[in-house]
Amino acid sequence: MLIAGNWKMYKGPAETAEFCLGLREEELDGVDVVVCPPFVSLAVAVQLLAGTEIAVAAQNVHWEDEGPYTGEISAPMLRELGVYGAIVGHSERRQHFGETDETVAMRANAALEAGLFVIACIGETEEERERGETEAVLRRQVSVLEPDDNVVIAYEPVWAIGTGKTATPETAQEAHAFVKTLLEAPVLYGGSVKPDNAAELLAQPDVDGALVGGASLDLDSFTSICRAAAPIPS
Ligand code: PGA
Protein backbone atom coordinates (compact mmCIF):
# COMPACT_ATOMS: atom_id res chain seq x y z
CA MET A 1 0.00 0.00 0.00
CA LEU A 2 1.16 3.47 -0.87
CA ILE A 3 -0.28 6.67 0.54
CA ALA A 4 0.82 9.87 -1.17
CA GLY A 5 -0.07 13.36 0.01
CA ASN A 6 -0.49 15.88 -2.79
CA TRP A 7 -0.17 19.24 -1.09
CA LYS A 8 -1.00 21.24 -4.23
CA MET A 9 -0.22 24.97 -3.72
CA TYR A 10 -0.20 24.75 0.07
CA LYS A 11 2.63 24.88 2.65
CA GLY A 12 5.70 27.02 2.09
CA PRO A 13 9.02 25.96 3.67
CA ALA A 14 8.07 26.96 7.24
CA GLU A 15 4.81 24.99 7.31
CA THR A 16 6.52 22.12 5.51
CA ALA A 17 9.20 21.97 8.20
CA GLU A 18 6.59 21.89 10.91
CA PHE A 19 4.65 19.09 9.19
CA CYS A 20 7.74 16.98 8.46
CA LEU A 21 9.07 17.29 12.01
CA GLY A 22 5.72 15.94 13.20
CA LEU A 23 5.60 13.21 10.56
CA ARG A 24 9.06 11.96 11.58
CA GLU A 25 7.70 11.15 15.03
CA GLU A 26 4.85 8.96 13.77
CA GLU A 27 5.00 5.17 13.65
CA LEU A 28 3.91 4.32 10.12
CA ASP A 29 4.98 0.72 9.66
CA GLY A 30 3.64 -1.44 6.85
CA VAL A 31 2.76 1.38 4.46
CA ASP A 32 4.79 3.35 1.90
CA VAL A 33 4.34 7.05 2.55
CA VAL A 34 5.10 9.86 0.10
CA VAL A 35 4.68 13.62 0.50
CA CYS A 36 4.49 15.95 -2.50
CA PRO A 37 5.11 19.55 -1.40
CA PRO A 38 5.32 22.55 -3.76
CA PHE A 39 8.72 23.01 -5.46
CA VAL A 40 9.97 25.67 -3.02
CA SER A 41 9.37 23.34 -0.08
CA LEU A 42 11.00 20.21 -1.51
CA ALA A 43 14.48 20.93 -0.12
CA VAL A 44 13.32 21.30 3.47
CA ALA A 45 11.13 18.18 3.19
CA VAL A 46 14.05 16.15 1.82
CA GLN A 47 16.31 17.42 4.59
CA LEU A 48 13.88 16.77 7.43
CA LEU A 49 12.72 13.35 6.21
CA ALA A 50 16.26 12.08 5.49
CA GLY A 51 16.88 8.82 7.30
CA THR A 52 13.17 7.95 7.40
CA GLU A 53 11.25 5.66 5.05
CA ILE A 54 9.11 8.57 3.88
CA ALA A 55 9.77 9.65 0.29
CA VAL A 56 9.49 13.15 -1.13
CA ALA A 57 8.10 13.69 -4.64
CA ALA A 58 7.39 16.77 -6.76
CA GLN A 59 3.99 17.68 -8.20
CA ASN A 60 5.25 18.03 -11.77
CA VAL A 61 8.44 17.72 -13.82
CA HIS A 62 9.56 18.97 -17.24
CA TRP A 63 10.59 16.69 -20.12
CA GLU A 64 13.90 18.40 -20.95
CA ASP A 65 16.95 18.27 -18.69
CA GLU A 66 17.50 22.00 -19.12
CA GLY A 67 16.63 24.75 -21.57
CA PRO A 68 14.61 27.89 -22.21
CA TYR A 69 11.46 26.79 -20.34
CA THR A 70 10.66 29.61 -17.94
CA GLY A 71 9.00 28.42 -14.78
CA GLU A 72 9.72 24.71 -15.28
CA ILE A 73 11.83 22.26 -13.25
CA SER A 74 13.67 19.26 -14.70
CA ALA A 75 14.06 15.70 -13.47
CA PRO A 76 17.86 15.95 -12.96
CA MET A 77 17.29 19.08 -10.87
CA LEU A 78 14.85 17.16 -8.68
CA ARG A 79 17.31 14.28 -8.39
CA GLU A 80 20.07 16.68 -7.36
CA LEU A 81 17.82 17.86 -4.54
CA GLY A 82 17.25 14.30 -3.29
CA VAL A 83 13.67 14.05 -4.54
CA TYR A 84 12.54 10.50 -5.39
CA GLY A 85 9.55 10.93 -7.66
CA ALA A 86 7.05 13.18 -9.38
CA ILE A 87 3.35 13.38 -10.00
CA VAL A 88 2.48 13.91 -13.68
CA GLY A 89 -0.80 14.65 -15.40
CA HIS A 90 -2.81 15.79 -12.41
CA SER A 91 -6.26 16.87 -13.58
CA GLU A 92 -5.63 20.41 -12.30
CA ARG A 93 -2.65 20.60 -14.68
CA ARG A 94 -4.74 19.21 -17.52
CA GLN A 95 -7.58 21.62 -16.72
CA HIS A 96 -5.73 24.87 -15.98
CA PHE A 97 -2.31 24.55 -17.61
CA GLY A 98 -2.96 22.93 -20.97
CA GLU A 99 -1.46 19.57 -20.05
CA THR A 100 -2.26 16.94 -22.68
CA ASP A 101 -1.77 13.17 -22.87
CA GLU A 102 1.32 13.88 -25.00
CA THR A 103 2.96 16.27 -22.55
CA VAL A 104 2.08 13.92 -19.69
CA ALA A 105 3.85 11.09 -21.52
CA MET A 106 6.92 13.27 -22.17
CA ARG A 107 7.09 14.29 -18.53
CA ALA A 108 6.67 10.71 -17.33
CA ASN A 109 9.37 9.38 -19.66
CA ALA A 110 11.89 12.06 -18.68
CA ALA A 111 11.26 11.43 -15.00
CA LEU A 112 11.70 7.66 -15.38
CA GLU A 113 14.86 8.12 -17.41
CA ALA A 114 16.33 10.26 -14.65
CA GLY A 115 15.52 7.59 -12.07
CA LEU A 116 12.45 9.16 -10.48
CA PHE A 117 9.31 7.18 -9.76
CA VAL A 118 6.17 8.53 -11.39
CA ILE A 119 2.62 8.88 -10.12
CA ALA A 120 0.65 9.32 -13.34
CA CYS A 121 -2.85 10.71 -12.81
CA ILE A 122 -5.82 9.76 -14.94
CA GLY A 123 -9.56 10.14 -14.53
CA GLU A 124 -12.79 11.12 -16.24
CA THR A 125 -14.85 14.28 -15.75
CA GLU A 126 -18.45 14.16 -14.59
CA GLU A 127 -19.72 14.81 -18.15
CA GLU A 128 -17.55 12.03 -19.53
CA ARG A 129 -18.90 9.59 -16.94
CA GLU A 130 -22.50 10.65 -17.66
CA ARG A 131 -21.94 10.14 -21.38
CA GLY A 132 -20.64 6.61 -20.69
CA GLU A 133 -17.12 7.52 -21.81
CA THR A 134 -15.22 6.60 -18.66
CA GLU A 135 -13.46 3.56 -20.09
CA ALA A 136 -12.63 5.31 -23.37
CA VAL A 137 -11.09 8.25 -21.49
CA LEU A 138 -9.06 6.00 -19.19
CA ARG A 139 -7.90 3.94 -22.17
CA ARG A 140 -6.77 7.08 -24.00
CA GLN A 141 -4.96 8.49 -20.96
CA VAL A 142 -3.20 5.22 -20.15
CA SER A 143 -2.29 4.46 -23.78
CA VAL A 144 0.53 7.04 -23.79
CA LEU A 145 2.25 5.59 -20.72
CA GLU A 146 5.03 3.02 -21.02
CA PRO A 147 4.98 0.04 -18.66
CA ASP A 148 7.73 0.53 -16.10
CA ASP A 149 8.38 -0.78 -12.60
CA ASN A 150 8.60 2.81 -11.39
CA VAL A 151 5.18 3.87 -12.64
CA VAL A 152 2.19 4.07 -10.34
CA ILE A 153 -1.19 5.15 -11.70
CA ALA A 154 -3.53 7.36 -9.70
CA TYR A 155 -7.17 7.00 -10.72
CA GLU A 156 -8.74 10.31 -9.77
CA PRO A 157 -12.24 10.88 -11.10
CA VAL A 158 -12.28 14.65 -11.68
CA TRP A 159 -15.77 14.95 -10.16
CA ALA A 160 -14.43 13.58 -6.87
CA ILE A 161 -11.41 15.88 -6.50
CA GLY A 162 -11.83 18.46 -3.77
CA THR A 163 -15.61 18.07 -3.90
CA GLY A 164 -16.23 15.75 -0.96
CA LYS A 165 -17.95 13.48 -3.53
CA THR A 166 -15.90 10.32 -3.16
CA ALA A 167 -16.34 7.47 -5.62
CA THR A 168 -18.04 4.54 -3.94
CA PRO A 169 -15.66 1.66 -3.23
CA GLU A 170 -17.47 -0.30 -5.98
CA THR A 171 -17.03 2.48 -8.56
CA ALA A 172 -13.36 2.82 -7.67
CA GLN A 173 -12.82 -0.95 -7.79
CA GLU A 174 -14.46 -1.18 -11.21
CA ALA A 175 -12.25 1.57 -12.65
CA HIS A 176 -9.10 0.17 -11.05
CA ALA A 177 -9.74 -3.32 -12.38
CA PHE A 178 -10.26 -1.83 -15.84
CA VAL A 179 -7.04 0.22 -15.65
CA LYS A 180 -5.11 -2.92 -14.73
CA THR A 181 -6.27 -4.59 -17.93
CA LEU A 182 -4.53 -1.73 -19.78
CA LEU A 183 -1.25 -1.47 -17.90
CA GLU A 184 0.43 -3.55 -15.25
CA ALA A 185 0.95 -1.08 -12.41
CA PRO A 186 -0.28 -0.38 -8.90
CA VAL A 187 -3.33 1.89 -8.98
CA LEU A 188 -3.97 4.50 -6.28
CA TYR A 189 -7.40 6.02 -5.77
CA GLY A 190 -7.67 9.80 -5.43
CA GLY A 191 -10.62 12.13 -4.91
CA SER A 192 -11.90 13.23 -1.49
CA VAL A 193 -10.12 10.47 0.43
CA LYS A 194 -10.62 11.20 4.13
CA PRO A 195 -9.87 9.35 7.37
CA ASP A 196 -13.48 8.12 7.54
CA ASN A 197 -13.69 6.67 4.02
CA ALA A 198 -10.09 5.49 3.50
CA ALA A 199 -10.45 2.01 4.99
CA GLU A 200 -13.36 0.91 2.79
CA LEU A 201 -11.72 2.26 -0.38
CA LEU A 202 -8.39 0.65 0.47
CA ALA A 203 -10.13 -2.66 1.20
CA GLN A 204 -11.01 -3.08 -2.49
CA PRO A 205 -8.83 -5.71 -4.14
CA ASP A 206 -7.50 -3.46 -6.90
CA VAL A 207 -7.03 -0.31 -4.82
CA ASP A 208 -3.32 -0.27 -4.03
CA GLY A 209 -3.21 2.97 -2.09
CA ALA A 210 -4.38 6.55 -2.24
CA LEU A 211 -3.39 9.96 -3.56
CA VAL A 212 -4.73 12.35 -0.96
CA GLY A 213 -5.18 16.09 -1.49
CA GLY A 214 -7.02 18.15 1.12
CA ALA A 215 -6.85 15.54 3.87
CA SER A 216 -3.06 15.25 3.50
CA LEU A 217 -2.50 18.81 4.74
CA ASP A 218 -3.33 18.04 8.34
CA LEU A 219 -0.89 15.73 10.12
CA ASP A 220 -3.51 13.85 12.13
CA SER A 221 -5.80 13.25 9.21
CA PHE A 222 -2.91 12.22 6.91
CA THR A 223 -1.45 9.79 9.43
CA SER A 224 -4.83 8.26 10.16
CA ILE A 225 -5.24 7.57 6.41
CA CYS A 226 -1.72 6.05 6.40
CA ARG A 227 -2.71 3.82 9.32
CA ALA A 228 -5.88 2.71 7.52
CA ALA A 229 -3.55 1.37 4.81
CA ALA A 230 -1.27 -0.53 7.16
CA PRO A 231 -1.95 -4.19 7.86
CA ILE A 232 -3.59 -4.79 11.21
CA PRO A 233 -0.90 -6.14 13.57
CA SER A 234 -1.72 -9.70 14.62
P1 PGA B 1 -8.65 15.75 -2.77
O1 PGA B 1 -7.56 15.85 -3.95
O2 PGA B 1 -8.22 14.62 -1.88
O3 PGA B 1 -8.58 17.09 -2.08
O4 PGA B 1 -9.96 15.49 -3.41
C1 PGA B 1 -7.01 14.70 -4.51
C2 PGA B 1 -6.00 15.10 -5.57
O5 PGA B 1 -6.26 16.08 -6.29
O6 PGA B 1 -4.94 14.46 -5.73
Side-chain angles (χ1 to χ4, degrees):
M1 283 278 174
L2 190 158
I3 303 295
N6 171 18
W7 293 1
K8 309 192 180 189
M9 201 170 72
Y10 293 96
K11 295 194 194 293
E15 278 185 67
T16 297
E18 191 188 343
F19 186 98
C20 291
L21 286 169
L23 192 57
R24 283 188 71 100
E25 302 304 316
E26 301 281 338
E27 296 272 343
L28 297 172
D29 297 334
V31 51
D32 294 324
V33 179
V34 179
V35 292
C36 309
F39 285 121
V40 295
S41 302
L42 288 169
V44 68
V46 166
Q47 204 182 338
L48 291 176
L49 296 174
T52 74
E53 299 280 301
I54 300 159
V56 177
Q59 297 173 16
N60 194 16
V61 58
H62 196 259
W63 52 84
E64 293 290 349
D65 288 356
E66 58 182 13
Y69 298 101
T70 303
E72 292 284 327
I73 305 285
S74 76
M77 290 171 180
L78 294 173
R79 289 279 295 178
E80 183 180 341
L81 211 56
V83 167
Y84 281 103
I87 297 173
V88 299
H90 191 279
S91 67
E92 287 153 12
R93 304 247 12 126
R94 295 178 191 258
Q95 203 179 332
H96 304 302
F97 302 100
E99 203 78 69
T100 64
D101 293 332
E102 287 63 41
T103 56
V104 171
M106 285 158 73
R107 292 180 196 276
N109 292 339
L112 292 168
E113 211 152 288
L116 295 171
F117 71 81
V118 164
I119 300 176
C121 302
I122 59 169
E124 80 288 359
T125 62
E126 189 153 37
E127 297 74 45
E128 288 164 340
R129 175 162 284 270
E130 278 166 6
R131 289 200 298 264
E133 294 171 3
T134 299
E135 292 198 346
V137 169
L138 299 180
R139 182 178 285 115
R140 194 200 73 223
Q141 291 174 335
V142 171
S143 69
V144 298
L145 301 170
E146 303 287 341
D148 190 294
D149 286 348
N150 286 321
V151 170
V152 174
I153 304 279
Y155 168 63
E156 301 204 302
V158 178
W159 46 269
I161 295 178
T163 57
K165 252 168 63 178
T166 322
T168 63
E170 295 71 31
T171 304
Q173 167 58 28
E174 200 182 328
H176 284 223
F178 176 70
V179 169
K180 288 184 184 187
T181 66
L182 306 172
L183 189 81
E184 210 179 302
V187 183
L188 313 179
Y189 170 78
S192 298
V193 176
K194 307 284 176 219
D196 61 2
N197 62 23
E200 55 173 1
L201 286 159
L202 295 168
Q204 298 302 309
D206 291 309
V207 175
D208 304 309
L211 180 57
V212 186
S216 74
L217 295 170
D218 175 78
L219 186 62
D220 288 343
S221 101
F222 184 58
T223 53
S224 78
I225 294 169
C226 293
R227 289 201 179 90
I232 296 151
S234 50

